[in-house]
Amino acid sequence: MAKLTPISGFPEWLPEQKLVEDAVISQVKSVYASHGFVPIETPAAELIETLSSKGVVDREIYSIRRFHAEEDAEAALALHFDLTVPFARYAAQHLNALSFPFKRYQLQKVWRGERPQKGRFREFYQFDIDTIAREDLPLCCDAEIVTVLLKAFRVMQLGPFQMLVNNRKLLHGCYSSLGLGETQRKAAITAVDKIHKIGRDGVLKELESAAAVSHDVATRIVDLTVVQASAADFAGVFQATGVKDALFDKGIEELAEVLRLVPTDLQQYIQVDLSLARGLDYYTGLIFEAQMRDHPEFGTVCSGGRYDDLASQFTSQKLPGVGGSIGLTRLLELAFSKGLLSAKIRSTAQVMVTVFSETQRQRCNEFAEELRGSGVATEVFFKASKLGKQIESAEARGVRYVAFVSEENEAIEIKDLETKQQHKFAQASETVAWLSALKIS
Amino acid sequence: MAKLTPISGFPEWLPEQKLVEDAVISQVKSVYASHGFVPIETPAAELIETLSSKGVVDREIYSIRRFHAEEDAEAALALHFDLTVPFARYAAQHLNALSFPFKRYQLQKVWRGERPQKGRFREFYQFDIDTIAREDLPLCCDAEIVTVLLKAFRVMQLGPFQMLVNNRKLLHGCYSSLGLGETQRKAAITAVDKIHKIGRDGVLKELESAAAVSHDVATRIVDLTVVQASAADFAGVFQATGVKDALFDKGIEELAEVLRLVPTDLQQYIQVDLSLARGLDYYTGLIFEAQMRDHPEFGTVCSGGRYDDLASQFTSQKLPGVGGSIGLTRLLELAFSKGLLSAKIRSTAQVMVTVFSETQRQRCNEFAEELRGSGVATEVFFKASKLGKQIESAEARGVRYVAFVSEENEAIEIKDLETKQQHKFAQASETVAWLSALKIS
C-alpha cells in the first residue's frame, strides 16, 4: 500500500478550513473589485530565464521537467516564486492589449524551494494588488492601494491589525543629510530593515561595517528608528527630528498627500514608522507592512510599496507602479492555529432534508429544489436510515436546520439544531419562505 | 532584454477573459454548494510514488526539483496530472476527519507533460465533483452528480449541450450474453470507446484482434453501438435489442433508477447511448460524457461515472464513489474562440467618477465610497485630465456609467455610455439610490 506521508511545507486544509479560506478570498476579491481592479492569472511556470532576469539567483526555485523529455530539447521552466516577476512579464507581453492605468489583482500559489523546515511553507497563496501606469502615476494611486489593503484586513475580521508606512525618499533624505552617498544609503536601508531581528546593536555594527559610517552617524541613524507617529501627527513629529534635507521634505510631502487621500475611518490603522525600511532595492517612494497587533511574533502578513519601473527587464516602456501583497496562507495558518476566526463555517448546506422511506425521496428532492431556488443550500440525506442517525449526520456535518417531510400530508417540520426549536408549516412554500427569510449563510 | 516568448501549452488569458473564467467558476461553485458539496484543495505536488501508485506510468508527468537540492536527499515530487489521484490520497489520509458520505468539489490546475503540440494544454483547470461513502453508496448519489453537472452546464450558458449516459453493467451483460469472458469484455470496452475516432471498421478489427471474438460477434457488438434513446424511452429500446442477460437487466434497472431521480426539467439534456464505453478500467456502473451540441468536433468537455473503490492503493477501507470532471480550460478556450459567450464582462467597475480638478478628488472619493457601500463597484479617474480623455478611458475599460460631480453644488450627473443618455441628480444620495437600484453587475 502506498505511503500517506504529508509533504513538508505543502499545507493542506480540511474542508471546513478550505471553506474559511474561500470565504476570506471572496471577501478580499469583493473589496478589490469594488475599486475596479481586475483579475489576472499567469501560468504556474515561467522560463527560468524570466525568473532569474532580475538577478534573483539566490532564491530557491523549483524547476520542472517533463519525465519523458529529451535532455535539453525544450525551454527550461520553473515554478514562479512570487507574483511580481510574472506580473512584470505579463504587463510587458500584453502591453498593447491592456488599458492603463492597469489595476490588477492576482491570487495564486507560489512555490519556494526552501530547505524543509518547521513553519516554512514551500507552497502558499499570495494575494497581490498593483496599479501601474505608462509614464507617470499620481500619488492618489498609492492612497488607493493602502485603502483597499486596509479594507481587506478589516473585512477579513482576524483581529486588530496595523499598517506601518514610510517613504524611501524620506529615508534617503535623512541619510543624505548625514553625509551618506547612494551606495551607503542603500546599505543603511538594508541594515535598518533588520532592526526587529538583530536589534539596535546589530544594526549599529552593520551600519559601521556595511555602510561604512562613523559610530556617531550610525548612532544617529539608529536613534531615528524609534520615531513613530499617527497619520495625523506624523509631519510635525518628523520635522521635529531636525533633519534638514530637500528629499526628506519631499518624502514627508508625498506621505502626507497619500495619507490625506486615505478615508478618515481607515486612518486609525496606520502608523508612520521611521524604522520601516523594507529589504528590496526595488522601492522608490511609499513603503508599507501590515501586521496583526496581537501577534507581532508572527511578523509581516502584508507588504508593498511604490516602484519606478516594473518591467525594465522586458520592455523599454516605463511602467511605474504601486502595490502590495497579502500572505494569505501564512495569515490563515495563524488564524487556524490561534483560533482567530469568530465565525465557523463547517458546511455549504444550510438545510438537510431527512428521508423516512425511499418512496418519499422524490418528494424530498422536489422540496430541496424549491429551497435551492430560493437561495437556501440544501442536502437530501442519502439513505432512509433511522431518523436519529440522519440528525446526527447533519450535526456532524455542521448543517444547522433539519427538515422532516410528512408522509401523510403537505406539512413540513424544521428543527433548528442550534436552538433545538421546532417549527411546523402546513405547506412547503411556507417553509421555503421562512427559511429563505432567515438569510442564513 | 529578457525574451517574451509564450510557453507552449500554458494558456494565459487577458483580464476580460479571466473575468469570464471567474464568473463561470463562481456560477458552477454556487451550483455545487447549493447541494451541500464542500471544497477541498490539495498541493500542486504529490510524491511521485503516489502519482504512479495506480500504475499510471504512461502519463507524461512534470517532476519538480529544488534548484539547490542535494541529489536524492529529498522525496521525489511531481505535479499532479489530474485531481482523482490527489483526492484518493486526501480521502485516505484524512479518513477520520471527514464526514461521510463525503461530497466534495475541487477546482485546480493540473499539469500534463505532453509533447508541445498545437491545441494541447500542458496546464489547465479541472473542476471535479464526487460523492464517496464508506461501504455502500445508493444510486441517488449517482443521480445527484448527474443533476449538479447538468445544472452547471445550464448555468454556464455556453450554448446547447447534452450528456450521454450508459452503464458498464449493461455493457458487460451485453458482451457476456455474446460469450465474452471478463478479459475479452474489457478489451471490447476499450475498442468500442474508440468508435468515434477509428470508426466502425476500426472497432471491428480491434474487436477481432484485441478481444479475440469472431467476425459475427464483433459485428453484433458494433451494431449495438448505434442504439440510442431518450431518458424516458431507453428501457424499452434497450430491451428490444433482444439481449438476454441478468447483468444487462441489472444495468437497465440501475440506469432507470438514476434517471428517475434526475429532475424532470433536466431529462431533456440526457441521451442514453450504448456506444458510450469510457476508456478507464476504473468504472463499474454509471458512465457519462458531456459535449457541446453545436461543437461535436470539440469532443468531451465533461466526463465521469461510478467506481467501486476510490482509494484501494492507500487504505483497506472501501470507498465507493461517483463523480465527474469538467474540463474548464478547454471549455473556455472553445467559448473564447467560437464566441459562445453572450454576455461580455470587461470591467469590475460599473461606474467611473471623473475628476475636474485635484481639489475635487476627496469629494469624488467620498461619493465613490458611498456607491461602493451600496454595492456599486466604482473607480475614480486617477488624473484630472481633459474630460473627453476620461470618458474615453471609461469606454476603453468597459465601464458603463460615468459620473460628473459638480464643483459648485451637490449635483451629480451620470452618463450611460451604452444608451448615451444623461441623468441629473440634485444630491449624491439620490444618485446612489438610482445606480444601486439598476442592479448592474
Side-chain angles (χ1 to χ4, degrees):
Chain A
M1 209 152 286
K3 269 190 294 185
L4 287 170
T5 332
I7 310 171
S8 168
F10 287 74
E12 178 166 87
W13 309 133
L14 287 173
E16 55 265 36
Q17 296 174 310
K18 180 61 191 156
L19 275 170
V20 170
E21 184 174 78
D22 279 356
V24 167
I25 287 170
S26 143
Q27 289 164 338
V28 175
K29 271 191 187 176
S30 291
V31 170
Y32 291 176
S34 77
H35 280 253
F37 288 80
V38 293
I40 71 162
E41 187 163 321
T42 60
E46 299 279 347
L47 298 174
I48 286 186
E49 196 186 320
T50 301
L51 294 180
S52 53
S53 59
K54 268 219 150 170
V56 196
V57 283
D58 57 335
R59 289 198 197 250
E60 299 237 334
I61 62 174
Y62 274 112
S63 61
I64 74 170
R65 199 164 164 277
R66 290 205 300 131
F67 233 54
H68 296 294
E70 299 74 39
E71 199 65 52
D72 298 328
E74 286 171 41
L77 302 178
L79 299 176
H80 54 219
F81 56 81
D82 74 2
L83 302 177
T84 304
V85 178
F87 175 45
R89 196 261 315 140
Y90 182 98
Q93 192 163 321
H94 305 289
L95 200 59
N96 296 321
L98 302 176
S99 165
F100 287 87
F102 182 46
K103 298 164 63 174
R104 84 87 171 78
Y105 64 84
Q106 188 170 1
L107 168 75
Q108 286 187 252
K109 280 179 175 171
V110 303
W111 293 269
R112 301 263 169 98
E114 309 250 9
R115 238 165 256 279
Q117 195 182 337
K118 204 183 162 324
R120 278 293 174 113
F121 292 125
R122 303 162 100 187
E123 175 183 80
F124 54 97
Y125 270 117
Q126 283 199 333
F127 210 154
D128 278 28
I129 183 163
D130 286 82
T131 300
I132 55 171
R134 290 177 174 223
E135 310 304 335
D136 69 307
L137 184 79
L139 292 169
C140 64
C141 298
D142 301 48
E144 187 172 45
I145 292 291
V146 170
T147 300
V148 292
L149 287 172
L150 289 174
K151 282 187 181 179
F153 273 89
R154 189 169 59 181
V155 84
M156 286 192 280
Q157 294 186 39
L158 300 174
F161 59 92
Q162 70 176 359
M163 185 183 271
L164 305 178
V165 305
N166 199 358
N167 187 301
R168 274 281 173 87
K169 291 195 178 72
L170 213 151
L171 286 175
H172 274 283
C174 186
Y175 301 158
S176 183
S177 76
L178 293 167
L180 280 69
E182 200 189 335
T183 316
Q184 284 177 301
R185 296 199 301 267
K186 284 186 178 172
I189 283 172
T190 308
V192 167
D193 181 51
K194 300 178 189 159
I195 189 121
H196 301 290
K197 279 184 199 146
I198 62 175
R200 188 186 155 90
D201 288 347
V203 175
L204 270 177
K205 212 175 281 176
E206 186 166 327
L207 282 169
E208 291 176 48
S209 58
V213 298
S214 70
H215 185 70
D216 281 0
V217 169
T219 308
R220 173 76 173 133
I221 289 175
V222 173
D223 284 349
L224 282 169
T225 63
V226 300
V227 179
Q228 286 199 337
S230 69
D233 300 335
F234 98 95
V237 173
F238 277 30
Q239 274 146 359
T241 58
V243 174
K244 299 271 177 251
D245 181 273
L247 200 57
F248 182 80
D249 293 341
K250 172 84 177 156
I252 291 182
E253 192 191 305
E254 279 191 13
L255 205 45
E257 172 66 0
V258 169
L259 297 179
R260 187 180 70 83
L261 291 171
V262 172
T264 322
D265 60 325
L266 293 170
Q267 305 257 346
Q268 57 180 307
Y269 304 113
I270 295 174
Q271 178 86 345
V272 189
D273 187 326
L274 256 181
S275 79
L276 180 69
R278 304 282 311 136
L280 288 172
D281 233 18
Y282 201 60
Y283 298 115
T284 51
L286 173 76
I287 44 178
F288 57 81
E289 278 184 11
Q291 47 188 231
M292 305 310 291
R293 295 186 75 120
D294 296 343
H295 301 278
E297 79 284 2
F298 209 75
T300 303
V301 289
C302 166
S303 62
R306 162 176 288 247
Y307 41 90
D308 269 352
D309 201 351
L310 176 73
S312 56
Q313 70 270 42
F314 303 111
T315 170
S316 53
Q317 169 78 48
K318 206 170 167 250
L319 298 172
V322 55
S325 177
I326 299 178
L328 191 72
T329 304
R330 286 189 68 204
L331 199 53
L332 284 168
E333 167 74 10
L334 174 72
F336 293 142
S337 65
K338 305 279 177 185
L340 302 188
L341 295 148
S342 45
K344 283 208 175 123
I345 328 164
R346 284 168 53 215
S347 167
T348 45
Q350 293 139 6
V351 177
M352 180 187 280
V353 182
T354 59
V355 181
F356 291 119
S357 74
E358 284 306 324
T359 54
Q360 200 199 15
R361 180 168 299 279
Q362 208 134 16
R363 167 103 205 278
C364 294
N365 278 349
E366 282 159 17
F367 172 56
E369 275 299 289
E370 271 192 75
L371 281 170
R372 291 180 195 123
S374 300
V376 180
T378 305
E379 283 196 284
V380 179
F381 200 69
F382 78 133
K383 280 181 194 172
S385 318
K386 279 185 188 159
L387 220 49
K389 223 177 150 182
Q390 298 192 41
I391 297 170
E392 257 173 43
S393 172
E395 264 166 342
R397 298 162 90 76
V399 183
R400 179 162 171 183
Y401 299 91
V402 177
F404 309 97
V405 176
S406 165
E407 288 186 294
E408 282 131 40
N409 52 40
E410 299 293 301
I412 286 170
E413 217 168 306
I414 299 289
K415 182 167 186 177
D416 181 338
L417 296 179
E418 214 171 286
T419 64
K420 308 291 173 203
Q421 282 185 309
Q422 306 240 143
H423 306 267
K424 286 188 188 182
F425 303 91
Q427 303 280 339
S429 57
E430 287 171 32
T431 330
V432 173
W434 185 78
L435 281 167
S436 63
L438 291 176
K439 298 254 176 263
I440 35 184
S441 68
Chain B
M1 209 150 288
K3 269 190 294 183
L4 286 170
T5 333
I7 310 170
S8 167
F10 287 74
E12 179 167 86
W13 309 133
L14 288 172
E16 55 266 35
Q17 295 174 311
K18 180 62 188 156
L19 275 169
V20 170
E21 184 175 78
D22 280 357
V24 167
I25 287 169
S26 145
Q27 289 164 337
V28 175
K29 271 192 187 175
S30 291
V31 169
Y32 291 176
S34 77
H35 279 253
F37 287 80
V38 292
I40 71 162
E41 186 164 321
T42 60
E46 299 280 345
L47 298 174
I48 287 185
E49 197 185 320
T50 301
L51 295 180
S52 53
S53 60
K54 269 220 150 173
V56 196
V57 282
D58 57 335
R59 286 196 199 253
E60 299 238 333
I61 62 174
Y62 275 112
S63 61
I64 74 170
R65 198 164 164 278
R66 290 206 298 131
F67 232 53
H68 297 294
E70 299 74 41
E71 198 63 55
D72 298 327
E74 287 172 38
L77 303 178
L79 300 176
H80 54 219
F81 55 81
D82 73 3
L83 302 176
T84 304
V85 178
F87 175 46
R89 195 262 312 140
Y90 182 99
Q93 192 163 322
H94 305 289
L95 199 59
N96 297 320
L98 302 176
S99 165
F100 286 86
F102 181 45
K103 296 163 64 173
R104 83 89 171 79
Y105 65 83
Q106 187 171 0
L107 169 74
Q108 287 187 251
K109 280 180 175 170
V110 303
W111 293 269
R112 302 264 169 99
E114 309 249 10
R115 237 166 257 281
Q117 195 182 335
K118 202 181 164 323
R120 278 293 174 113
F121 291 124
R122 302 161 102 188
E123 174 183 80
F124 54 97
Y125 270 117
Q126 283 198 332
F127 209 153
D128 278 27
I129 183 162
D130 287 82
T131 300
I132 55 170
R134 290 178 174 222
E135 309 304 335
D136 68 307
L137 183 78
L139 292 169
C140 65
C141 298
D142 301 47
E144 187 172 45
I145 292 291
V146 170
T147 301
V148 291
L149 287 172
L150 289 175
K151 283 187 182 180
F153 273 88
R154 190 170 56 183
V155 84
M156 286 191 279
Q157 294 185 39
L158 300 175
F161 59 93
Q162 71 175 358
M163 185 182 270
L164 305 178
V165 305
N166 198 357
N167 187 299
R168 274 282 173 88
K169 290 194 179 72
L170 214 150
L171 287 175
H172 274 283
C174 187
Y175 302 157
S176 184
S177 77
L178 294 168
L180 280 69
E182 199 187 337
T183 317
Q184 285 176 300
R185 296 199 301 265
K186 283 185 178 172
I189 283 171
T190 307
V192 167
D193 181 51
K194 299 177 188 158
I195 189 120
H196 300 290
K197 277 183 201 146
I198 62 175
R200 187 186 155 88
D201 288 346
V203 175
L204 269 177
K205 213 176 280 177
E206 185 166 329
L207 283 169
E208 290 176 51
S209 59
V213 298
S214 70
H215 184 71
D216 281 1
V217 169
T219 307
R220 171 79 174 134
I221 289 175
V222 172
D223 284 348
L224 282 169
T225 61
V226 300
V227 179
Q228 287 199 337
S230 69
D233 301 335
F234 96 95
V237 173
F238 278 31
Q239 274 147 359
T241 59
V243 175
K244 300 273 174 248
D245 182 274
L247 201 56
F248 183 81
D249 293 342
K250 174 83 178 157
I252 292 182
E253 192 190 304
E254 279 191 15
L255 205 44
E257 173 66 0
V258 168
L259 297 179
R260 188 181 68 84
L261 290 171
V262 172
T264 322
D265 60 327
L266 294 171
Q267 305 257 346
Q268 56 180 307
Y269 304 113
I270 295 175
Q271 178 86 347
V272 189
D273 187 326
L274 255 180
S275 79
L276 180 70
R278 304 280 313 133
L280 288 172
D281 233 17
Y282 202 57
Y283 298 114
T284 51
L286 174 75
I287 44 178
F288 57 82
E289 278 185 10
Q291 47 187 231
M292 306 309 291
R293 295 186 75 121
D294 296 344
H295 300 279
E297 79 284 2
F298 209 75
T300 303
V301 290
C302 165
S303 63
R306 143 139 352 206
Y307 41 89
D308 269 351
D309 200 352
L310 176 73
S312 55
Q313 70 269 43
F314 302 112
T315 170
S316 53
Q317 169 79 48
K318 205 169 167 252
L319 299 172
V322 56
S325 178
I326 298 178
L328 191 71
T329 304
R330 285 189 70 205
L331 200 51
L332 284 168
E333 167 74 9
L334 174 71
F336 293 143
S337 65
K338 305 277 178 184
L340 302 189
L341 295 149
S342 45
K344 282 208 177 124
I345 328 164
R346 284 168 53 213
S347 166
T348 45
Q350 292 139 5
V351 177
M352 180 187 280
V353 182
T354 58
V355 181
F356 291 118
S357 74
E358 283 306 324
T359 53
Q360 199 199 16
R361 181 169 298 281
Q362 208 135 15
R363 167 104 204 280
C364 293
N365 279 348
E366 281 158 19
F367 172 56
E369 275 299 290
E370 270 191 76
L371 281 171
R372 292 179 195 123
S374 298
V376 180
T378 304
E379 282 197 283
V380 179
F381 199 69
F382 77 133
K383 280 181 192 173
S385 318
K386 280 186 188 157
L387 220 50
K389 221 179 152 181
Q390 299 192 41
I391 296 170
E392 256 173 45
S393 172
E395 264 167 342
R397 298 161 90 76
V399 183
R400 178 162 171 184
Y401 298 91
V402 177
F404 310 97
V405 176
S406 165
E407 288 187 292
E408 281 131 41
N409 51 41
E410 298 294 299
I412 287 170
E413 218 169 305
I414 298 289
K415 183 169 186 179
D416 181 338
L417 295 180
E418 214 170 287
T419 64
K420 308 291 172 201
Q421 283 186 307
Q422 305 240 145
H423 307 267
K424 285 187 189 185
F425 303 92
Q427 303 280 338
S429 56
E430 288 170 32
T431 329
V432 173
W434 186 78
L435 281 167
S436 63
L438 291 177
K439 297 257 176 261
I440 35 185
S441 69

